[in-house]
Amino acid sequence: MTEISDWRYRIERYRLIGVRCRRCGSVYYPKRSKCIKCGSSDLEEVELPKRGRVVEYTIVRLLPDRYNRFHPYAVALIELDDGTRIYGQLTDVDLDKIHEGMEVEATLRKLYEYGESGQIVYGIKFRPVLSR
Amino acid sequence: MEVSLLGIPVIAGYGVIPIREYWDKDVVSLAINAVQNLVKSTGLKDFDAIYVGNMLSKYYEEQASISVHLADELGLEDVYALDVECGDASGAYAVLEAIKDVLSGESKIVLAGGVEKSTDELPHRLYRGISLSEDIFLVDYIGLTNLVNHAIALKMYIRRYNVDKADITYLSVLDHENASKARHAYFRFPIKLDTALNSPPVADPLTLFDISPNIDGAAFLLITTDDIAKEYNLNYVKVLGYGYSVNRTRFYERFDPTTLTAAKRASQQAFKRAGINTSELDFIEIHDSTTIAGVLALESIGVHGSGTAAKYIRSGVHRLDGELPINTFGGLKARGNPLGATGAYAIAEGVMQILGEAGGNQVKDAKIGLIHSMNGFDLSSIVFILGGD
Amino acid sequence: MKPVNGVGIYGYGAYVPRYYIENEAIGSIWGRITYPIKNKSFPSFDEDTITIAYEAARIAIESSNAPKDRIHAVFIGTESKPYAVKPSGTVLVDALGLSNKILSADYEFACKAGTEAMETVFGLVASKMIDMGIAIGADTAQGRPGDELEYTAAAGGAAYIISSVEDGVLAVLEASYSYVSDTPDFWRRSGEKYPRHLYRFTGEPAYFNHIINSVNGLFEEYGYKPSDFKYAVFHQPNAKFPQRVASKLGFTKDQIAPGLLSPVIGNTYSGSSLVGFAATLDVAKPGDKILLASFGSGAGSDAFAFEVTELIEERRAKPPIRDIISRMVPRDYATYVVYRGKIWR
């Protein structure tokens, strides 16, 4: 991925823009061009809820390039308030305090940088809710 | 069984190199060494086509078109040379391309396999590299790695079926036991279950001994028909059946996250083509890139019911001297997982078993074996059923 | 300065990162035993001025339910731009889902860049060139290791959505007054990572002189006196300065208490007076008058007089800044050094 593909994906990554099937209502994130439940190609863009809860999670400890500057991080299977399930990276959380059912909300964070002189890429991560 | 006018597709030779760290060799050299072993044992050195499975040389060594370079180094002319990439199932998919080629009648004698030079990459780049079969949008966006799906599936599986994680991790003990006798394996020593359970976490709850090592290797097979094999006086095993399928790439959109649906469909096709069922298998090579992947694969190909495979593995029925041996040379965990070459190793091992050339790892009376290989966490799966004459 | 057409604050939000370091933890590294404040916030490794500005603006928009399509300016005042060249506000436009028909720029005037941005939006709205605009003060300030500023340079920010009074505001801008002179108390040259300063020179000739002149200017020009205001908020480079300037100007401890956050979050630079202002709005009642006075080194001060309306009750920031502060957790110096990029893996 380059700065250009990062640019192309920015809206999806900044605002959780997915698609909803106009026929059966299924929601997908990131976008799909065809509904895998009912086969319809009639999908509309939709902004997903910014809150949800952790269903399952793991802690990535073999850090891949682009995410290797800091300590391990958590990736969670999150069920958003509308029932859509997505993967999200958690932030502002103590790794030993994450639990299934933990309420989280979307926030914009730095994802990675193209080196010291390159671009900074931003996107949504999830953190424990500031308040209910 | 697939039969064309030209005969039954067979594997009539193999060449592998020990899975090691090859600091002084590049990706093409590794492939050549494996092919040289094949040439030595078969006496054949001319091929109509070559299919080379590889996952990441474009990414780490930045070498593309390995098949063409291999053809050139082997002195082949007028050859159909094609690179095959399907993640860590690349080697197996390359072999299927060769089988289809032979079945179509286009080629008569085909070289197919895989090669991977994992040690040329530094750890962080490697961890990203082996995750590249996943949607790059997610890899970069949330730091998705190849192990995330395995880890989350493991937690769901334990929760859903109330399985003891130790029973799942025990697969690595079995793998090490088998690899300890295998010359081409990477980890040639047994381990204790406690060691595996207490190894450091890599993607909780997966620990180091739940995952397979990515190192260097190359394995190639000679694919032809039974008639031609006989003509050249070659021992061979028949390709009784094969199957392949894909799964939802996004784990969280899968209808059943603890079933490897692609593996399930692939095995069903393969059994149908071969006209046999699981009870007729003498051994199985499963793609245990992690212990949980191996457990789920055993269930998905229909050997055990959902939620039960780990207990059977722990009970000993799948040891080399058990009822239905699996991973007879150590599987991905202990033989090693050289990504694009892994599937080709598994097939070569199946051939060794059926030809009775498995040495200390020989399964008694091995006549029919199933080989499973998959890309990532069942992004795609491929299954072969091999049988002796 | 007094707008011809009535303008005010439609919504607001403030944010500080989750992490703080105690002054004592910094002092123990350098052998210092007296501290300007208690704790200072610092950003996580994945935060910068843009993400903090986003948090504050998101809270402002959500809490006031502001019509995004009518927001036609987003200005960020900061001295810690993530890029030397590349606007910060553009990320916010797309991340917050604002209209792309919008003005956007980064403002710099040391610690008063935020109120500078605010004044600009007041002008654009009052002149009816735009319907609404967002002014943000946000920073992830850096102090050189061991320097005085390391004890106070903090991270945080606040966002203010500005509209005409006809659209309904939670606080009306009554008047403002700016005072600027060439007073080099603090600066950072291009390409330098850390600012430099002239120690005690930052006090009387800089901080006190400019704030006192702007506030007195406001008072003299528009006829205010300290007792007219229920609350006052001053720029907070440490705990002492805002308290002393308040007393010099004739304000009581009670008037500055709600907005005085520097002891527990540090100096959030362009965010400092604006985060304090948000904390004050969090407790203000309709009819309360609030004085806001920023200070920016180099140097200048913007003073504003606001009157809170009944809309405050329904548009208060959710969550209030003190709730956000109360979720903060301490970290040691080593973590602080790594998160701030002072050492690299």
Side-chain angles (χ1 to χ4, degrees), chain C residues 143-212:
Chain C
R144 187 185 301 279
D147 185 70
E148 301 282 315
L149 292 179
E150 190 179 27
Y151 296 84
T152 54
Y160 290 84
I161 302 168
I162 288 157
S163 76
S164 76
V165 291
E166 288 99 66
D167 285 318
V169 294
L170 59 83
V172 179
L173 171 70
E174 293 191 335
S176 65
Y177 191 101
S178 291
Y179 183 91
V180 161
S181 80
D182 182 6
T183 307
D185 60 317
F186 164 107
W187 67 93
R188 179 163 64 84
R189 292 284 299 271
S190 297
E192 289 292 304
K193 185 167 184 185
Y194 299 109
R196 290 182 53 189
H197 56 95
L198 296 178
Y199 297 86
R200 290 180 65 174
F201 185 70
T202 60
E204 287 307 327
Y207 181 86
F208 292 99
N209 181 45
H210 289 81
I211 290 184
I212 288 168

Coordinates of all heavy atoms in Angstrom, one line a residue, chain C residues 143-212:
Chain C
G143 N 8.7 19.8 25.6 CA 9.7 20.5 26.4 C 11.0 19.7 26.3 O 11.0 18.5 26.3
R144 N 12.1 20.4 26.1 CA 13.4 19.8 26.0 C 13.7 19.0 27.3 O 13.5 19.5 28.4 CB 14.5 20.8 25.7 CG 15.9 20.2 25.4 CD 17.0 21.4 25.4 NE 16.6 22.3 24.3 CZ 16.8 22.2 23.0 NH1 17.5 21.1 22.6 NH2 16.5 23.1 22.1
P145 N 14.2 17.7 27.2 CA 14.4 17.0 28.4 C 15.3 17.8 29.4 O 16.3 18.3 29.0 CB 15.2 15.7 27.9 CG 14.6 15.5 26.5 CD 14.4 16.9 26.0
G146 N 14.8 17.9 30.6 CA 15.5 18.6 31.7 C 15.2 20.1 31.7 O 15.5 20.7 32.7
D147 N 14.6 20.6 30.7 CA 14.3 22.0 30.7 C 13.1 22.3 31.6 O 12.3 21.4 31.9 CB 14.0 22.4 29.2 CG 13.8 23.9 29.1 OD1 14.8 24.7 29.2 OD2 12.6 24.4 28.9
E148 N 13.0 23.6 32.0 CA 11.8 24.0 32.8 C 10.5 23.6 32.1 O 9.6 23.2 32.8 CB 11.8 25.6 32.8 CG 13.0 26.3 33.4 CD 13.0 26.2 34.9 OE1 11.9 26.5 35.5 OE2 14.0 25.9 35.5
L149 N 10.4 23.7 30.8 CA 9.2 23.4 30.1 C 8.8 22.0 30.1 O 7.6 21.6 29.9 CB 9.3 23.9 28.7 CG 9.3 25.5 28.5 CD1 9.5 25.8 27.0 CD2 8.1 26.1 29.1
E150 N 9.8 21.1 30.4 CA 9.4 19.7 30.4 C 8.4 19.4 31.5 O 7.6 18.4 31.4 CB 10.7 18.8 30.6 CG 10.3 17.4 30.3 CD 11.5 16.4 30.4 OE1 12.4 16.7 31.2 OE2 11.4 15.3 29.8
Y151 N 8.3 20.2 32.5 CA 7.4 19.9 33.6 C 6.0 20.3 33.3 O 5.0 19.9 33.9 CB 7.9 20.6 34.9 CG 9.2 20.1 35.4 CD1 10.4 20.6 34.8 CD2 9.3 19.1 36.3 CE1 11.6 20.1 35.2 CE2 10.5 18.6 36.7 CZ 11.7 19.0 36.1 OH 12.9 18.5 36.5
T152 N 5.8 21.2 32.3 CA 4.5 21.7 32.0 C 4.0 21.5 30.6 O 2.7 21.4 30.4 CB 4.5 23.2 32.3 OG1 5.5 23.8 31.5 CG2 4.7 23.6 33.7
A153 N 4.9 21.3 29.6 CA 4.4 21.2 28.2 C 3.5 20.0 28.1 O 4.0 18.8 28.2 CB 5.6 21.1 27.3
A154 N 2.3 20.2 27.8 CA 1.3 19.1 27.8 C 0.5 19.0 26.5 O 0.8 19.7 25.5 CB 0.3 19.3 29.0
A155 N -0.5 18.1 26.5 CA -1.3 17.9 25.3 C -2.8 17.9 25.7 O -3.2 17.4 26.7 CB -0.9 16.5 24.7
G156 N -3.5 18.6 24.7 CA -4.9 18.7 24.9 C -5.5 19.7 23.9 O -4.7 20.3 23.2
G157 N -6.8 19.9 23.9 CA -7.3 20.8 23.0 C -8.8 21.0 23.2 O -9.5 20.3 24.0
A158 N -9.3 22.1 22.6 CA -10.7 22.4 22.7 C -11.2 23.0 21.4 O -10.5 23.6 20.7 CB -11.0 23.4 23.9
A159 N -12.5 22.7 21.1 CA -13.1 23.1 19.8 C -14.3 23.9 20.1 O -15.1 23.6 21.0 CB -13.4 21.9 19.0
Y160 N -14.5 25.0 19.4 CA -15.7 25.8 19.5 C -16.4 26.0 18.2 O -15.7 26.4 17.2 CB -15.3 27.2 20.1 CG -14.8 27.0 21.6 CD1 -13.5 26.6 21.9 CD2 -15.8 27.2 22.6 CE1 -13.2 26.4 23.2 CE2 -15.4 27.0 23.9 CZ -14.1 26.6 24.2 OH -13.8 26.3 25.5
I161 N -17.6 25.7 18.2 CA -18.4 25.9 17.0 C -19.1 27.3 17.1 O -19.7 27.5 18.2 CB -19.5 24.8 16.8 CG1 -18.9 23.4 16.8 CG2 -20.3 25.1 15.5 CD1 -19.9 22.3 16.9
I162 N -18.9 28.1 16.1 CA -19.3 29.5 16.2 C -20.4 29.7 15.2 O -20.3 29.3 14.1 CB -18.1 30.4 16.0 CG1 -17.2 30.3 17.3 CG2 -18.6 31.9 15.8 CD1 -15.8 30.7 17.1
S163 N -21.5 30.4 15.7 CA -22.6 30.7 14.8 C -23.1 32.1 15.1 O -22.7 32.7 16.1 CB -23.7 29.7 14.9 OG -24.4 29.9 16.1
S164 N -24.1 32.6 14.3 CA -24.7 33.8 14.6 C -25.7 33.6 15.8 O -26.1 32.4 16.0 CB -25.5 34.4 13.4 OG -26.6 33.6 13.2
V165 N -26.1 34.6 16.5 CA -27.0 34.4 17.6 C -28.4 33.9 17.1 O -29.1 33.2 17.8 CB -27.2 35.7 18.5 CG1 -25.9 36.0 19.2 CG2 -27.6 36.9 17.6
E166 N -28.7 34.3 15.9 CA -30.0 33.8 15.3 C -30.1 32.3 15.3 O -31.2 31.7 15.4 CB -30.3 34.4 13.9 CG -30.6 35.9 13.8 CD -29.3 36.7 13.5 OE1 -28.8 36.5 12.3 OE2 -28.8 37.4 14.4
D167 N -29.0 31.6 15.1 CA -29.0 30.2 15.1 C -29.1 29.6 16.5 O -29.2 28.4 16.6 CB -27.8 29.6 14.3 CG -27.9 29.8 12.8 OD1 -28.9 29.6 12.3 OD2 -26.9 30.2 12.2
G168 N -29.0 30.4 17.5 CA -29.1 30.0 18.8 C -27.7 29.6 19.3 O -27.1 28.7 18.8
V169 N -27.2 30.4 20.3 CA -25.9 30.1 20.8 C -26.0 29.9 22.3 O -26.9 30.3 23.0 CB -24.9 31.3 20.6 CG1 -24.7 31.5 19.1 CG2 -25.5 32.6 21.2
L170 N -25.0 29.2 22.9 CA -25.0 28.9 24.3 C -24.2 30.0 25.0 O -24.3 30.1 26.3 CB -24.4 27.5 24.6 CG -23.0 27.2 24.1 CD1 -21.9 27.7 25.1 CD2 -22.8 25.7 23.9
A171 N -23.4 30.8 24.3 CA -22.8 31.9 24.9 C -22.6 33.0 23.8 O -22.2 32.7 22.7 CB -21.4 31.6 25.5
V172 N -23.0 34.2 24.2 CA -22.9 35.3 23.2 C -21.6 36.0 23.4 O -21.2 36.3 24.5 CB -24.1 36.3 23.5 CG1 -24.0 37.5 22.5 CG2 -25.4 35.7 23.3
L173 N -20.9 36.3 22.3 CA -19.7 37.1 22.4 C -20.1 38.6 22.5 O -20.8 39.2 21.6 CB -18.9 37.0 21.1 CG -17.7 38.0 21.0 CD1 -16.6 37.6 22.0 CD2 -17.1 38.0 19.6
E174 N -19.8 39.2 23.6 CA -20.1 40.6 23.8 C -19.1 41.5 23.2 O -19.4 42.5 22.5 CB -20.3 40.9 25.3 CG -21.5 40.2 25.9 CD -21.9 40.7 27.3 OE1 -21.0 41.2 28.0 OE2 -23.1 40.5 27.7
A175 N -17.8 41.2 23.5 CA -16.8 42.1 23.0 C -15.4 41.4 23.1 O -15.3 40.4 23.9 CB -16.7 43.4 23.8
S176 N -14.4 41.8 22.4 CA -13.1 41.2 22.6 C -12.1 42.3 22.4 O -12.4 43.4 21.9 CB -12.9 40.1 21.6 OG -12.9 40.6 20.2
Y177 N -10.8 42.0 22.8 CA -9.8 43.0 22.7 C -8.5 42.3 22.6 O -8.2 41.3 23.3 CB -9.8 43.9 24.0 CG -8.9 45.1 23.9 CD1 -9.4 46.4 23.7 CD2 -7.5 45.0 24.1 CE1 -8.6 47.5 23.6 CE2 -6.7 46.1 24.0 CZ -7.2 47.4 23.8 OH -6.4 48.5 23.7
S178 N -7.6 42.7 21.6 CA -6.3 42.0 21.4 C -5.2 43.0 21.6 O -5.3 44.1 21.2 CB -6.3 41.4 20.0 OG -7.2 40.3 19.9
Y179 N -4.1 42.5 22.2 CA -3.0 43.3 22.5 C -1.7 42.6 22.1 O -1.5 41.4 22.6 CB -3.0 43.7 24.0 CG -1.8 44.6 24.4 CD1 -2.0 46.0 24.3 CD2 -0.6 44.1 24.8 CE1 -1.0 46.9 24.7 CE2 0.4 45.0 25.1 CZ 0.3 46.3 25.1 OH 1.3 47.2 25.4
V180 N -0.9 43.2 21.3 CA 0.3 42.5 20.7 C 1.5 43.4 20.7 O 1.4 44.6 20.4 CB -0.1 42.0 19.3 CG1 1.2 41.6 18.5 CG2 -1.0 40.8 19.3
S181 N 2.7 42.8 21.0 CA 3.9 43.6 20.8 C 5.0 42.6 20.6 O 4.9 41.4 20.8 CB 4.2 44.4 22.1 OG 4.8 43.5 23.1
D182 N 6.2 43.1 20.0 CA 7.3 42.3 19.7 C 8.1 42.0 21.0 O 9.0 42.8 21.4 CB 8.2 43.0 18.7 CG 9.4 42.1 18.3 OD1 9.4 41.0 18.7 OD2 10.2 42.6 17.5
T183 N 7.7 40.9 21.7 CA 8.4 40.6 23.0 C 8.8 39.1 22.9 O 8.0 38.2 23.0 CB 7.4 40.8 24.1 OG1 6.8 42.1 24.0 CG2 8.0 40.5 25.5
P184 N 10.1 38.9 22.6 CA 10.6 37.6 22.3 C 10.9 36.7 23.6 O 12.0 36.4 23.9 CB 11.9 37.8 21.5 CG 12.4 39.1 22.1 CD 11.2 39.9 22.5
D185 N 9.8 36.3 24.3 CA 10.1 35.5 25.5 C 10.2 34.1 25.3 O 10.8 33.3 26.1 CB 8.9 35.8 26.5 CG 7.6 35.3 25.9 OD1 7.3 35.6 24.7 OD2 6.8 34.7 26.6
F186 N 9.8 33.6 24.1 CA 9.7 32.1 23.8 C 9.6 32.0 22.3 O 8.9 32.7 21.7 CB 8.5 31.6 24.6 CG 8.0 30.2 24.2 CD1 8.2 29.1 25.0 CD2 7.3 30.0 23.0 CE1 7.8 27.8 24.7 CE2 6.9 28.7 22.7 CZ 7.1 27.6 23.5
W187 N 10.3 31.0 21.8 CA 10.3 30.8 20.3 C 10.8 29.4 19.9 O 11.4 28.7 20.8 CB 11.1 31.8 19.6 CG 12.6 31.7 19.9 CD1 13.5 31.0 19.2 CD2 13.3 32.1 21.1 NE1 14.7 31.0 19.8 CE2 14.6 31.7 21.0 CE3 12.9 32.9 22.2 CZ2 15.6 31.9 21.9 CZ3 13.9 33.2 23.1 CH2 15.2 32.7 23.0
R188 N 10.5 29.0 18.7 CA 11.1 27.8 18.2 C 11.4 28.1 16.7 O 10.5 28.4 16.0 CB 10.1 26.6 18.3 CG 10.6 25.3 17.7 CD 9.9 24.1 18.2 NE 8.5 24.1 17.7 CZ 8.1 23.6 16.6 NH1 8.9 23.2 15.7 NH2 6.8 23.6 16.2
R189 N 12.7 27.9 16.4 CA 13.1 28.2 15.0 C 12.7 27.0 14.1 O 12.5 25.9 14.6 CB 14.7 28.3 14.9 CG 15.2 29.6 15.6 CD 15.0 30.9 14.8 NE 15.6 30.8 13.5 CZ 16.9 31.2 13.3 NH1 17.6 31.7 14.3 NH2 17.4 31.1 12.1
S190 N 12.6 27.3 12.8 CA 12.2 26.3 11.8 C 13.1 25.1 11.9 O 14.3 25.3 12.0 CB 12.3 26.9 10.4 OG 11.3 27.9 10.3
G191 N 12.6 23.9 11.9 CA 13.4 22.7 11.9 C 13.8 22.3 13.3 O 14.4 21.2 13.5
E192 N 13.6 23.1 14.3 CA 14.0 22.7 15.7 C 12.9 21.9 16.3 O 11.7 22.2 16.1 CB 14.2 24.0 16.5 CG 15.5 24.7 16.1 CD 16.8 23.9 16.5 OE1 16.9 23.5 17.7 OE2 17.6 23.6 15.6
K193 N 13.2 20.9 17.1 CA 12.2 20.1 17.8 C 11.7 20.8 19.0 O 10.5 20.7 19.3 CB 12.8 18.7 18.1 CG 11.8 17.8 18.7 CD 12.4 16.3 18.7 CE 11.3 15.4 19.2 NZ 11.8 14.0 19.3
Y194 N 12.6 21.4 19.8 CA 12.1 22.0 21.1 C 12.2 23.5 21.0 O 13.1 24.1 20.4 CB 13.0 21.5 22.2 CG 13.0 20.0 22.4 CD1 14.1 19.2 22.0 CD2 11.8 19.4 22.9 CE1 14.0 17.8 22.2 CE2 11.8 18.0 23.0 CZ 12.9 17.2 22.7 OH 12.8 15.9 22.8
P195 N 11.3 24.2 21.7 CA 11.4 25.6 21.8 C 12.4 26.1 22.8 O 12.9 25.3 23.6 CB 10.0 26.0 22.3 CG 9.5 24.8 23.1 CD 10.2 23.6 22.5
R196 N 12.8 27.4 22.7 CA 13.7 28.0 23.7 C 12.9 29.1 24.3 O 11.9 29.6 23.8 CB 15.0 28.4 23.0 CG 15.8 27.3 22.6 CD 17.1 27.7 22.0 NE 17.8 28.7 22.9 CZ 18.9 29.4 22.6 NH1 19.4 29.3 21.3 NH2 19.5 30.2 23.4
H197 N 13.4 29.6 25.5 CA 12.7 30.6 26.2 C 13.7 31.4 27.0 O 14.9 31.0 27.2 CB 11.6 30.1 27.1 CG 12.1 29.1 28.1 ND1 12.5 29.4 29.3 CD2 12.4 27.7 27.9 CE1 12.9 28.3 30.0 NE2 12.9 27.3 29.1
L198 N 13.3 32.6 27.5 CA 14.2 33.4 28.3 C 13.8 33.4 29.8 O 13.8 34.4 30.5 CB 14.2 34.8 27.7 CG 14.7 34.9 26.3 CD1 14.6 36.4 25.8 CD2 16.2 34.4 26.2
Y199 N 13.4 32.2 30.3 CA 13.2 32.0 31.7 C 12.3 33.1 32.3 O 11.2 33.3 31.9 CB 14.5 31.9 32.5 CG 15.3 30.7 32.0 CD1 16.1 30.7 30.9 CD2 15.1 29.5 32.7 CE1 16.7 29.6 30.4 CE2 15.7 28.3 32.2 CZ 16.6 28.4 31.1 OH 17.2 27.3 30.7
R200 N 12.8 33.9 33.3 CA 11.9 34.9 34.0 C 11.4 36.0 33.1 O 10.4 36.6 33.4 CB 12.7 35.5 35.2 CG 12.9 34.5 36.3 CD 13.6 35.0 37.4 NE 12.8 36.1 38.1 CZ 13.2 36.7 39.3 NH1 14.3 36.3 39.8 NH2 12.4 37.6 39.8
F201 N 12.0 36.2 31.9 CA 11.5 37.2 31.0 C 10.1 36.8 30.5 O 9.4 37.7 30.0 CB 12.5 37.3 29.8 CG 12.2 38.4 28.8 CD1 12.3 39.7 29.2 CD2 11.8 38.1 27.5 CE1 12.1 40.7 28.2 CE2 11.5 39.1 26.6 CZ 11.6 40.4 27.0
T202 N 9.8 35.5 30.5 CA 8.5 35.1 30.1 C 7.4 35.6 31.0 O 6.2 35.6 30.7 CB 8.3 33.6 30.0 OG1 8.6 33.0 31.4 CG2 9.3 32.9 29.1
G203 N 7.8 36.1 32.2 CA 6.8 36.6 33.2 C 6.3 38.0 33.0 O 5.5 38.2 32.1
E204 N 6.9 38.9 33.8 CA 6.4 40.3 33.7 C 6.3 40.9 32.4 O 5.2 41.4 32.0 CB 7.2 41.2 34.7 CG 7.0 40.9 36.2 CD 5.5 41.0 36.6 OE1 4.8 41.8 36.0 OE2 5.1 40.3 37.5
P205 N 7.4 41.0 31.6 CA 7.3 41.7 30.3 C 6.4 41.0 29.3 O 5.9 41.6 28.3 CB 8.7 41.8 29.8 CG 9.5 41.0 30.7 CD 8.7 40.4 31.8
A206 N 6.2 39.7 29.4 CA 5.5 38.9 28.4 C 4.1 38.5 28.9 O 3.1 39.2 28.6 CB 6.3 37.6 28.1
Y207 N 4.0 37.5 29.7 CA 2.7 37.0 30.2 C 1.8 38.1 30.9 O 0.7 38.4 30.4 CB 2.9 35.8 31.1 CG 1.6 35.2 31.6 CD1 0.9 34.2 30.9 CD2 1.1 35.5 32.9 CE1 -0.2 33.6 31.4 CE2 -0.1 35.0 33.4 CZ -0.8 34.0 32.6 OH -1.9 33.4 33.1
F208 N 2.4 38.7 31.9 CA 1.6 39.6 32.7 C 1.3 40.9 31.9 O 0.1 41.3 31.9 CB 2.3 39.9 34.0 CG 2.3 38.7 34.9 CD1 3.4 37.9 35.0 CD2 1.2 38.3 35.7 CE1 3.4 36.7 35.8 CE2 1.2 37.2 36.4 CZ 2.3 36.4 36.5
N209 N 2.3 41.4 31.3 CA 2.1 42.7 30.6 C 1.0 42.6 29.5 O 0.1 43.4 29.4 CB 3.4 43.1 29.9 CG 3.3 44.5 29.2 OD1 2.7 45.4 29.7 ND2 3.8 44.5 28.0
H210 N 1.0 41.5 28.7 CA 0.1 41.4 27.6 C -1.3 41.0 28.1 O -2.3 41.6 27.6 CB 0.6 40.4 26.6 CG 1.8 40.9 25.8 ND1 3.1 40.9 26.4 CD2 1.9 41.5 24.6 CE1 3.9 41.4 25.5 NE2 3.2 41.9 24.5
I211 N -1.4 40.1 29.0 CA -2.8 39.8 29.5 C -3.4 41.0 30.2 O -4.6 41.4 30.0 CB -2.8 38.6 30.5 CG1 -2.4 37.3 29.7 CG2 -4.1 38.4 31.2 CD1 -2.5 36.0 30.4
I212 N -2.6 41.7 31.0 CA -3.2 42.8 31.8 C -3.6 43.9 30.8 O -4.7 44.5 30.9 CB -2.1 43.4 32.8 CG1 -2.1 42.3 34.0 CG2 -2.5 44.8 33.3 CD1 -0.9 42.5 34.9

